[in-house]
Amino acid sequence: PTIPYRTGREDFESGESSPPDGRLPDADKGSMKMTAQHVRDVFFRMGFNDREIVALLGAHALGRCHTDRSGYWGPWTFAENTFSNEYFRLLLEERWSPKMTHNGKPWASPDQYEDSTGKLMMLPSDMVLVSDPEFKKYVMMYAKDEDLFFKDFAKAFAKLLELGVPFPSKKWFG
């Protein structure tokens, strides 16, 4: 999608004015209910609603997890270099089960889910998108309509990029 972008963020010499690290959602808070609430808490704090949260998590259509960086392993989709609504379709169409083994050995890393082939993964924070009814309605919309996903993602991502940017307010004369 085309993502609108406005410049305006100011660079500073030190990181003292930057928010602390660790302000993105954790992948798991021990239960689906607690993980869903955690995801909401993180994004609500930044002014996002459920629809925008689901759209932003659709970025998991890209990339993969690496055990040496996060403890999790694998791609979310079969086309990890292509931005599409496949992530949402897979959430709904695949049967996801807890990962038990990896390369023939017991899985000893954080809880995650895998598809029936064992080639794809989902984090607990992904699975809350289908276990929580408010999140799920947007997953279903985006799984059916890639153009709608692209439109909503572009709007939410632009909002994310502009957080904290001191744009001048419009002044109306008259």
Side-chain angles (χ1 to χ4, degrees):
T2 301
I3 299 172
Y5 175 76
R6 297 186 294 172
T7 60
R9 188 171 309 277
E10 298 177 24
D11 291 333
F12 293 95
E13 293 296 319
S14 75
E16 291 175 11
S17 62
S18 298
D21 288 340
R23 293 174 45 121
L24 290 176
D26 294 330
D28 188 8
K29 284 297 190 183
S31 73
M32 289 294 177
K33 183 177 180 179
M34 291 187 339
T35 301
Q37 188 58 56
H38 171 67
V39 169
R40 282 190 172 101
D41 290 344
V42 168
F43 283 102
F44 283 2
R45 173 183 48 78
M46 294 184 279
F48 291 97
N49 61 35
D50 281 352
R51 184 175 186 143
E52 293 166 321
I53 293 167
V54 174
L56 288 171
L57 289 178
H60 283 176
L62 296 170
R64 63 176 26 247
C65 288
H66 302 270
T67 50
D68 62 332
R69 294 183 188 99
S70 65
Y72 298 99
W73 177 87
W76 285 271
T77 70
F78 289 109
E80 63 190 86
N81 296 315
T82 303
F83 195 69
S84 72
N85 68 339
E86 183 185 15
Y87 168 76
F88 297 113
R89 290 190 331 250
L90 288 168
L91 271 170
L92 296 172
E93 295 169 5
E94 284 293 328
R95 195 179 89 227
W96 298 96
S97 58
K99 185 171 186 66
M100 304 305 286
T101 62
H102 184 70
N103 293 332
K105 298 177 184 171
W107 179 247
S109 289
D111 290 345
Q112 70 178 61
Y113 296 83
E114 65 183 2
D115 72 329
S116 59
T117 69
K119 294 179 181 176
L120 299 178
M121 61 81 67
M122 291 287 171
L123 303 170
S125 57
D126 298 307
M127 297 307 296
V128 301
L129 298 183
V130 290
S131 68
D132 181 283
E134 289 301 308
F135 284 150
K136 187 175 182 178
K137 68 184 180 184
Y138 300 114
V139 171
M140 292 169 49
M141 288 170 44
Y142 297 149
K144 291 177 187 173
D145 189 341
E146 186 174 73
D147 289 337
L148 177 63
F149 165 54
F150 283 3
K151 178 181 162 247
D152 285 359
F153 178 84
K155 186 176 176 184
F157 193 71
K159 181 177 175 178
L160 182 66
L161 290 174
E162 294 178 355
L163 282 177
V165 178
F167 294 115
S169 62
K170 290 182 180 178
K171 297 195 184 234
W172 297 97
F173 300 96

